[in-house]
Amino acid sequence: MIAYPPHLEILDDRFRELVHPMSQLDQLATGFIWAEGPVWFGEWNCLLFSDIPNRRILCWSETTGSLTQFRSDSGFNNGNTRDRQGRLIGCRHGARDVVRTEYDGSLTVLAGSYEGRRLNSPNDVVVSSDGAVWFTDPTYGIIGNFEGYRRAQEQPCQGVYRLSQEGDLTLVVSDFVQPNGLCFSPDERRLYIAESGSSHDDSVPAEIRVFGVEGGELTDEGVFATIDAGLPDGMRCDIGGNLWSSAKDGVHCFAPDGTLLGKILVPETVANLCFGGPDGQRMYITATTSVYRVYVDLPGAEPWTNRRAPAD
């Protein structure tokens, strides 16, 4: 049997088809307070990611290995993604909103309130093929001054929202303790949402729930998987429909049927991840103070990340 390096934990033989025994876990950059929100820009051949408490968005170049500052005052920006036009979409804890970076570098607020009350602190975001923006709204950014500003909660719940391309904001899920990362299956028939309420209440299960998606509406299909180390945060799918989730000990990989196939063990608590590189088969991992990279054998299910990027 082929020997795999110690950072790859094989729990199901199907995992061997997704990782390579010669793949290394590379630390690309370090020295951050809390790295989050990785998003790949193929036309720049670079990774953007948030350093939340330092209120900045950074850019790491795959070409040169250099680290530069993309935005100096990010408003405690957390999760990031790109829309189908290649524009950066981000969640700001400080401003309690979801913003889009236009091609000229200006910012457009997409959502900041719901039914006349300010959002809690939008956390993570995805864009579906119809142009709708889906995001989670836990309270992490308003319960202290570390990743936002301590403020009174105005919303009656910690919800998940859908912003249509026409600008209509809808609350689609309202029964999470703290909704966090979210990710569509490749065919967009399923939406995975992480429950990270165990960060403040040990009685809350560290689980990933799954919802059926039809016409902009969700149907609760129950618990997809449970995280056995820490809690789930950011997630991504590969083109085979396997779900890769962050956890305390690294990245956990689940088959579409919910079976835990294996883990990429990382020496720091992982917050988020994304796929990138010229073939989409490089996984970039934001883990507390550092950013890591590992090569995988299936590309991510977000091909639009190679489209035009916003200007500086």
Side-chain angles (χ1 to χ4, degrees):
M1 178 144 327
I2 298 175
Y4 280 76
H7 67 273
L8 296 178
E9 183 176 334
I10 311 293
L11 301 174
D12 185 294
D13 279 342
R14 286 175 286 178
F15 195 54
R16 300 179 189 276
E17 301 176 2
L18 306 178
V19 293
H20 195 279
M22 294 185 66
S23 178
Q24 302 299 310
L25 180 67
D26 303 315
Q27 186 186 59
L28 304 179
T30 191
F32 317 115
I33 297 180
W34 182 10
E36 246 282 12
V39 59
W40 179 252
F41 279 76
E43 63 276 42
W44 287 350
N45 201 30
C46 75
L47 180 79
L48 295 188
F49 63 95
S50 301
D51 185 7
I52 302 175
N54 279 323
R55 309 182 200 182
R56 59 183 180 170
I57 299 176
L58 299 168
C59 175
W60 181 83
S61 170
E62 179 73 61
T63 303
T64 65
S66 62
L67 185 70
T68 56
Q69 189 161 265
F70 174 79
R71 181 167 297 148
S72 59
D73 184 6
S74 69
F76 293 99
N77 193 94
N78 188 337
N80 296 295
T81 192
R82 299 181 72 181
D83 65 14
R84 299 308 171 101
Q85 291 72 46
R87 295 169 295 190
L88 178 68
I89 309 292
C91 295
R92 300 193 299 182
H93 282 188
R96 300 161 71 174
D97 60 14
V98 179
V99 294
R100 181 177 66 217
T101 301
E102 307 297 349
Y103 296 132
D104 63 2
S106 62
L107 296 180
T108 298
V109 175
L110 300 180
S113 63
Y114 179 69
E115 294 188 341
R117 296 182 291 267
R118 294 190 68 182
L119 296 171
N120 299 320
S121 54
N123 185 285
D124 206 358
V125 59
V126 292
V127 178
S128 52
S129 58
D130 61 359
V133 176
W134 304 67
F135 63 93
T136 56
D137 189 40
T139 59
Y140 292 123
I142 60 173
I143 58 178
N145 295 316
F146 179 66
E147 55 176 309
Y149 302 108
R150 189 184 299 276
R151 296 289 187 270
Q153 182 174 357
E154 298 181 29
Q155 292 297 327
C157 68
Q158 292 74 255
V160 182
Y161 295 87
R162 177 183 183 269
L163 178 68
S164 72
Q165 198 166 29
E166 294 73 31
D168 298 319
L169 186 62
T170 305
L171 177 65
V172 291
V173 186
S174 61
D175 63 345
F176 275 80
V177 177
Q178 293 284 27
N180 205 314
L182 70 173
C183 174
F184 280 106
S185 62
D187 61 9
E188 296 189 2
R189 294 181 179 178
R190 308 175 97 188
L191 179 65
Y192 302 99
I193 306 175
E195 170 64 87
S196 62
S198 58
S199 58
H200 297 294
D201 184 349
D202 291 339
S203 68
V204 178
E207 61 190 20
I208 299 168
R209 293 167 59 185
V210 62
F211 296 81
V213 184
E214 185 173 354
E217 297 184 354
L218 300 183
T219 301
D220 191 347
E221 297 183 353
V223 176
F224 172 74
T226 300
I227 298 296
D228 62 16
L231 54 84
D233 196 334
M235 303 178 289
R236 294 290 191 279
C237 274
D238 61 34
I239 61 171
N242 303 293
L243 181 72
W244 302 74
S245 171
S246 60
K248 184 177 182 179
D249 58 351
V251 176
H252 295 191
C253 179
F254 297 93
D257 63 7
T259 303
L260 178 60
L261 302 180
K263 300 180 181 182
I264 300 173
L265 301 176
V266 179
E268 302 181 69
T269 298
V270 173
N272 214 328
L273 62 124
C274 74
F275 292 88
D279 53 9
Q281 294 179 209
R282 302 177 193 188
M283 181 181 292
Y284 298 93
I285 301 167
T286 50
T288 314
T289 68
S290 305
V291 176
Y292 296 86
R293 177 187 60 198
V294 65
Y295 288 73
V296 293
D297 277 353
L298 273 187
E302 298 176 320
W304 61 90
T305 56
N306 285 304
R307 295 189 179 179
R308 182 182 175 188
D312 289 337

